[in-house]
Amino acid sequence: MTGQVRTVDGRVAGRRGQATRQKLLECLSEMLSTSPYRDVKVIDVARMAGTSPATFYQYFPDVEGAVLELAEEMAKEGATLTDLVAGRTWVGKPAWAAAEDLVDGFLSFWRKNDAILRVVDLGAAEGDKRFYKIRMKILNAVTNSLTDSIKELQDKGRVDKSVNPAAVAGSLVAMLAAVAAHQKGFQSWGVKQAELKPNLALLVHLGVTGKKPTK
């Protein structure tokens, strides 16, 4: 952890306090991966961390406040998703590699953070602006870079001028997010993970370039 960590009442937490706070967050994260968000209670998180509810409330106002801390940390990591698109070539064979890498990186990020992303999606769907902003921060990391890539193709005459780059990029990223959140569900349709990725990459490639991939 970097920078000063403060308690709810504004005091600067010492090294032991920071370790306790981090332990509470780790236990909360673990509980979210096995229990519905609404079922997670402060007393259960504190018990798992080997401390008391009173200690939990020194660092977080409630479970939701701690979840937001986890979500903010995840959003910072999500900012690196832009690297999946920025500087990539979307012409010829490199375009297919770019589409594959984007799909693989996006799905991997979602799997790694599945528990907290489910809570973020729930909060955003219920109109909580704090969760909505976090969700958009993650999606914008890809959408903005993808928009720039499509604009570049458009400027070079490789994509029709009638195409709205932001609309296409936003649609593709929304599709990726929906698919990423539904990865386990594809199995019920008889679709294996190894089959999902190349077909999703095909849709991304078609969406960005308007052409079939050159493999």
Side-chain angles (χ1 to χ4, degrees):
M1 300 175 68
T2 58
Q4 287 188 336
V5 174
R6 295 184 180 275
T7 59
V8 171
D9 61 9
R11 291 179 291 110
V12 176
R15 184 173 298 178
R16 179 181 292 183
Q18 291 185 43
T20 298
R21 184 179 186 276
Q22 185 62 26
K23 179 69 173 178
L24 286 164
L25 287 174
E26 289 171 357
C27 290
L28 173 59
S29 180
E30 185 176 339
M31 290 190 71
L32 288 173
S33 67
T34 58
S35 305
Y37 167 54
R38 305 297 188 197
D39 291 348
V40 176
K41 307 299 181 186
V42 169
I43 190 170
D44 297 322
V45 178
R47 185 180 293 123
M48 179 181 279
T51 187
S52 67
T55 299
F56 180 97
Y57 285 119
Q58 284 182 22
Y59 301 103
F60 310 104
D62 46 34
V63 170
E64 186 176 75
V67 167
L68 281 165
E69 287 281 342
L70 287 173
E72 287 287 1
E73 286 299 314
M74 177 199 62
K76 290 176 183 177
E77 180 187 344
T80 62
L81 288 171
T82 190
D83 296 335
L84 297 171
V85 182
R88 298 301 297 264
T89 299
W90 289 90
V91 179
K93 289 184 177 181
W96 175 243
E100 285 188 309
D101 289 346
L102 173 56
V103 167
D104 187 53
F106 203 96
L107 296 187
S108 295
F109 175 80
W110 228 263
R111 280 197 305 275
K112 177 183 176 183
N113 299 286
D114 176 63
I116 189 65
L117 279 164
R118 278 190 281 108
V119 179
V120 169
D121 283 348
L122 175 63
E126 292 180 342
D128 190 315
K129 292 182 180 179
R130 297 168 301 174
F131 285 114
Y132 175 78
K133 287 180 179 178
I134 290 171
R135 189 175 195 277
M136 290 307 297
K137 187 184 296 185
I138 295 167
L139 298 185
N140 285 342
V142 180
T143 304
N144 294 338
S145 291
L146 206 54
T147 297
D148 290 340
S149 295
I150 297 172
K151 281 181 180 177
E152 185 177 339
L153 291 172
Q154 205 170 42
D155 291 342
K156 294 179 179 179
R158 295 182 178 277
V159 169
D160 194 271
K161 291 293 183 183
S162 65
V163 170
N164 183 311
V168 172
S171 297
L172 289 173
V173 172
M175 175 188 70
L176 284 171
V179 172
H182 193 68
Q183 290 183 69
K184 295 178 181 177
F186 277 88
Q187 295 175 7
S188 66
W189 296 334
V191 180
K192 297 177 181 178
Q193 186 74 17
E195 298 170 324
L196 176 61
K197 288 183 180 180
N199 284 281
L200 192 54
L202 173 61
L203 292 174
V204 170
H205 187 283
L206 286 170
V208 174
T209 70
K211 297 179 176 64
K212 291 182 178 180
T214 302
K215 302 180 183 179

